[in-house]
Amino acid sequence: MNNDIINQVDTPVVSQGVKNKVLKNTYMLLAMTLLFSGAVAAVSTSMNLPHPGLLITLVVFFGLLFAISKFQNSAMGIVLVFALTGFMGLTLGPILNAYLSLPGGSSIVMNAMGVTGAIFLGLSAYVLTTKKDFSFMGGFLTVGIIVGFLAGLGAIFFEMPALSLAVSAMFVLLMSGLILYETSNIINGGETNYIMATTTLFVSIFNLFTSLLHLLGFASQE
């Protein structure tokens, strides 16, 4: 069984039916998790809940990512995906409140949401239409995300607004690339687990949205 999975990932022999099923299940689960996370974020915003803090956020986030990877082939994996996306929605509430308190804050949030949706739909449609293989981007994206993550931590700890803005701009590009990469993986048979595909796409959309919030929020104060 394990050899069959390895062969599916390493060779282009995954049937079109399997690819279509993974794509369908991924988008169905992604839609449900986006709605769930959005609902949790709305509750968190309305209740003005405090942010859990950087350390707790990182521990829970990476802990749940590890757990999802471990249980990706079971029903528990779906439960853990909802736990992760719900937690991310919870942490988004305080961030939204911070931007809503700015002059024109509602416009900033709506514009960020609209641009995020347009980027995701546009990139997804491009890959689904052209069926281009973006697997070559894997190594670049991995290195870029690690560098961006470390730079983001540096910007927080050393209070460097300019670096923080640069990281946000960097993550807009990286998350756009990750959407291309993961969608390409699904339609070309490189990703056959819809739970992992959903997790990757959700994290991409979340980081894309928060990065755009930061950039648009800064631009509105100029």
Side-chain angles (χ1 to χ4, degrees):
M1 181 177 177
N2 289 335
N3 288 335
D4 291 338
I5 294 174
I6 292 173
N7 288 334
Q8 282 184 338
V9 173
D10 292 343
T11 60
V13 295
V14 181
S15 69
Q16 190 60 48
V18 171
K19 295 175 187 176
N20 290 340
K21 184 177 180 180
V22 173
L23 184 65
K24 178 183 176 182
N25 289 342
T26 296
Y27 281 134
M28 284 180 61
L29 184 57
L30 181 63
M32 288 188 289
T33 53
L34 285 171
L35 289 172
F36 177 65
S37 184
V40 175
V43 172
S44 178
T45 302
S46 64
M47 295 180 65
N48 199 25
L49 297 178
H51 196 278
L54 179 62
L55 181 60
I56 293 176
T57 299
L58 292 178
V59 170
V60 174
F61 175 73
F62 285 109
L64 286 172
L65 280 182
F66 174 80
I68 290 170
S69 179
K70 182 176 180 180
F71 292 99
Q72 62 181 278
N73 295 311
S74 68
M76 179 58 68
I78 297 177
V79 174
L80 290 168
V81 169
F82 276 98
L84 174 66
T85 56
F87 176 74
M88 294 176 75
L90 184 70
T91 64
L92 184 60
I95 297 174
L96 290 176
N97 275 330
Y99 285 99
L100 288 172
S101 66
L102 298 174
S106 297
S107 296
I108 295 172
V109 172
M110 294 305 296
N111 287 339
M113 191 178 300
V115 174
T116 300
I119 290 175
F120 175 73
L121 293 175
L123 294 177
S124 298
Y126 175 74
V127 178
L128 293 172
T129 301
T130 63
K131 292 181 168 46
K132 278 194 173 183
D133 185 0
F134 287 95
S135 59
F136 65 91
M137 297 174 63
F140 166 77
L141 290 171
T142 300
V143 173
I145 290 170
I146 292 173
V147 171
F149 175 72
L150 294 176
L153 290 179
I156 293 172
F157 287 123
F158 297 106
E159 299 182 355
M160 302 171 65
L163 178 58
S164 182
L165 283 172
V167 169
S168 292
M170 181 180 179
F171 262 88
V172 168
L173 296 177
L174 286 171
M175 294 303 105
S176 297
L178 190 55
I179 291 169
L180 287 173
Y181 172 80
E182 191 62 21
T183 307
S184 169
N185 258 355
I186 296 170
I187 66 171
N188 290 302
E191 177 60 84
T192 57
N193 188 290
Y194 71 93
I195 291 177
M196 295 305 298
T198 298
T199 302
T200 300
L201 289 176
F202 182 92
V203 171
S204 301
I205 293 170
F206 182 92
N207 284 322
L208 179 60
F209 175 64
T210 54
S211 296
L212 286 169
L213 262 183
H214 188 196
L215 294 173
L216 293 174
F218 175 80
S220 71
Q221 299 177 53
E222 290 297 300

